[in-house]
Amino acid sequence: MNPIEKYLAKAAGREEVQVGEDITVKVDLAIAHDVTGPMAVEQFREIGIDHVFDSQKVVFVIDHIIPAATIDAKVGQNTLKVFAREYGVKIYDHSDGVIHQIIAEKHRLERGSIIVGADSHTCTAGAYGALAIPVGATELAATMATGTLDLEVPETYEIRLEGKLQPGVYAKDVILHLIGHFGTNGFTDKAVIYTGSLVKQLSTDEKMTISNMGIEMGTMISYFADPNESIGKVKKSFIFQAEEIKACVACSPNPGNVAKAVDVAGTKITQAIIGSCTNGRLSDMKIAAEVLKGRKVAKEVLLLIIPASKDIAQEMEDQGLTRIFREAGGVITSPGCGPCFGAHMGLLAAEDVAVSTTNRNFPGRMGHREAKVFLASPRLAAESAVAGMIVSPGTVAPLGGV
């Protein structure tokens, strides 16, 4: 068996499992946020029991619309707070950060643990070896009650990343390149294991960026193998040479519409967004700050800086990054999802064009359906904010040392 099958078998109390089998696995952590959580709570109450399976293994994070931008948003958040008090579960409700970053910082589990989350980017936790599975609100409610999840053992594929990235090319470019290659349905309901010499060089932050957007290829489980881990049998292996990956962007209308940055250079922008659960970590902020230090954001561009967590925001302050962003003309928001979810804090009008380090650019995702969103790395977003247009990394600031 491959590692994913091995861990699924362990969670199911089995010696082994086969692709296509229906199994029931024990869950180590169940998570939800302020958009999906209220629906899960409603479904849970309909089950009619007076306890969750383990109050230490259920976590709510208010991150999508914090501070609340509508009355309905506030009602939903209050629903989670009431449930958390009643059932004794953990809730993060003071703009502590985006759910996937909070889980990594405060609730990181051992390799092979099962995380079930009512959010499509739950797969982020695969960066540190968890089997993180996105589900709907109804499934999450059942998991909160029983501590188990029913699933079909998926086919597993290997993506082997070999070599070393070129200057100006980052983890975001790697995952955009893969999505562009396989398409948005390339691994629907399948599992992917990432291996190779490049994987050994990547930090956990970088792995989280790649794993986070695995769902944009349809992937059910994204998993980064341990360097010494035997991969075993997989459906098929794909090999990519890191040196051949270029700085790129995903153009509207979806993350699979990928182009080389040089081919869209010169496209005027009105907004740049650096942050989110994909690229809102301290390492991302350092890259952006090195570009923006001593420079000014173009007059016609609004630059939003959105830390992925309160801890990251504090580190930004302590290391002087916040001041760099402000002096450059950037706007720093409270930690959370911000405009990525399209609910508040930086929405786009029809005529707007944004470069964003977030993970989705579907029509209407960040505001008006006619607005255009280009997904890119923090480096490319920062340089484009200064230039007032999409540029290739190295255009505004030299690549050496950044």
Side-chain angles (χ1 to χ4, degrees), residues 170 172-173 248-249 261 269 271-275 279 284 287-288 291-292 297-298 301-305 354-358 374-393 396:
Y170 299 88
K172 185 61 162 282
D173 300 296
C248 54
V249 298
I269 65 171
Q271 191 158 304
I273 301 161
I274 299 173
N279 284 114
D284 300 312
I287 291 169
V291 169
L292 292 165
V297 174
V301 175
L302 172 64
L303 170 63
L304 296 178
I305 305 292
V355 172
S356 178
T357 68
T358 54
F374 293 83
L375 305 179
S377 71
R379 173 66 190 247
L380 192 149
E383 290 207 31
S384 298
V386 174
M389 65 184 75
I390 294 176
V391 295
S392 295
V396 169

Side-chain angles (χ1 to χ4, degrees), residues 42 50-51 53 58 83 87 94 124 143 148 152-153 171 190 194 217 219 221 255 277 286 308 314 337 358 364 402:
E42 180 182 355
D50 61 358
H51 63 280
F53 79 100
V58 177
F83 186 90
Y87 288 85
H94 292 93
T124 306
T143 295
T148 64
E152 181 181 301
V153 179
K190 306 294 193 296
Y194 293 96
M217 298 188 293
T219 312
I221 298 174
C277 60
K286 286 182 176 179
Q314 186 61 58
C337 295
T358 54
V402 179

